[in-house]
Amino acid sequence: MKYSFLLIGGPTASKKTELAIHIASKIPAVIINADSMQFYQDFKILNNRPNSNQLKKNEFKLFGNIQIPNFPNLGWWNKIIEEEISNTIKRNKLPIIVGGTGLYLSALEKKPSFVPKIKLSVKQEIEKLHEKFGLDFLYKKLKDCDQYSYKKLNQNDTHRILRALEVKKSTGKTLRFWQEKNRDEKSDDKKKYYYIVLTPDKKDLYNQINLRFMEMIKKGAIKEVEIFKKKNVNQNHPIYKMIGLKYLVNYLENKITLEEAISSSQRDTRRYAKRQITWFKNQTVNSNRLSFDDATKFFSLSTCKNYFLF
């Protein structure tokens, strides 16, 4: 069987983009982003977007295409990724969807759950409650109407807490109800994909994470954050989940030293990678787990021609 598109997942700093570029050198392809932080236009260094040399030699899509205050979500992703895959296939090129946001990759394995459109009046009501009483009040309110979300969500996760309350208030059902609705249904049989999950050695991965953040600092991550800081973006915006951002902001505000900012960012990245490893191990439906070296050896010219339609 030949496949229509390729998924590449794995933890941060596992060389996913490098593998995609390797494959794109063997067969006509478009590399499509599936990393929630690399969608943002404001950052090139701190979110480790492809560099200028890589951009010149390869075709990339959905990198740096969202301007704040907008932000990506699963509904937006489900719509735009279908368009990108379809357009790429029409041009006789292989869509390579690459990223570490498992939820987005998972949406291509399973039918996305349908959540009815939230009423504007409900959104406004929840926002007013947030402004008047604060996040702690809404988090406690969530406990009364959606126990699953209350236990699952971090009490400081403003965006998801508000979202869970909006869904419950607007539809009468919890967010989990809608997420589970089509959980076991497979994607359209016509959507044949091959899925690689990179599995680096943990010690090597953590070392690479530490080195990569130091390289970001050398390339100008602090200046990038300084420019972003001048925009006065609301700190409830999902962009602040970007690892390293809050620590570098604190450094610029003289709240912590640069050494503390770097150390904390490296630590949080390692923790994030550990969570990603667990997620990809337990949540992927039909993935093939390989090291970067084994994956590059596997995807020879003959393999690409034999495995893919293009």
Side-chain angles (χ1 to χ4, degrees), residues 126-135 138 158 162 236:
I126 300 298
E127 286 173 3
K128 286 179 181 178
L129 287 173
H130 181 222
E131 291 174 4
K132 186 174 182 179
F133 298 107
L135 188 60
L138 292 183
T158 305
L162 267 62
N236 291 327

Side-chain angles (χ1 to χ4, degrees), residues 52-82:
S52 57
N53 187 47
Q54 291 170 330
L55 290 170
K56 287 178 183 177
K57 294 181 179 180
N58 303 275
E59 185 176 357
F60 291 89
K61 293 287 187 178
L62 303 185
F63 288 86
N65 63 307
I66 289 182
Q67 289 184 319
I68 295 171
N70 298 317
F71 55 86
N73 57 50
L74 192 56
W76 167 84
W77 164 257
N78 285 327
K79 180 181 179 182
I80 200 166
I81 192 60
E82 293 288 349

Side-chain angles (χ1 to χ4, degrees), residues 116-130 138 141 145 161-173:
K117 187 175 181 179
I118 305 302
K119 300 171 185 175
L120 179 60
S121 60
V122 171
K123 279 181 170 288
Q124 292 173 338
E125 179 184 344
I126 300 298
E127 286 173 3
K128 286 179 181 178
L129 287 173
H130 181 222
L138 292 183
K141 195 173 182 66
C145 65
I161 291 172
L162 267 62
R163 172 66 172 166
L165 287 170
E166 289 169 357
V167 170
K168 176 63 177 175
K169 178 75 173 178
S170 186
T171 70
K173 302 287 186 181

Side-chain angles (χ1 to χ4, degrees), residues 128-160:
K128 286 179 181 178
L129 287 173
H130 181 222
E131 291 174 4
K132 186 174 182 179
F133 298 107
L135 188 60
D136 285 344
F137 172 82
L138 292 183
Y139 186 61
K140 291 174 183 176
K141 195 173 182 66
L142 191 62
K143 183 179 181 180
D144 297 330
C145 65
D146 185 349
Q147 275 285 326
Y148 179 81
S149 294
Y150 173 78
K151 292 177 181 178
K152 182 181 178 183
L153 297 179
N154 184 293
Q155 64 186 41
N156 297 314
D157 194 336
T158 305
H159 176 69
R160 287 190 171 92

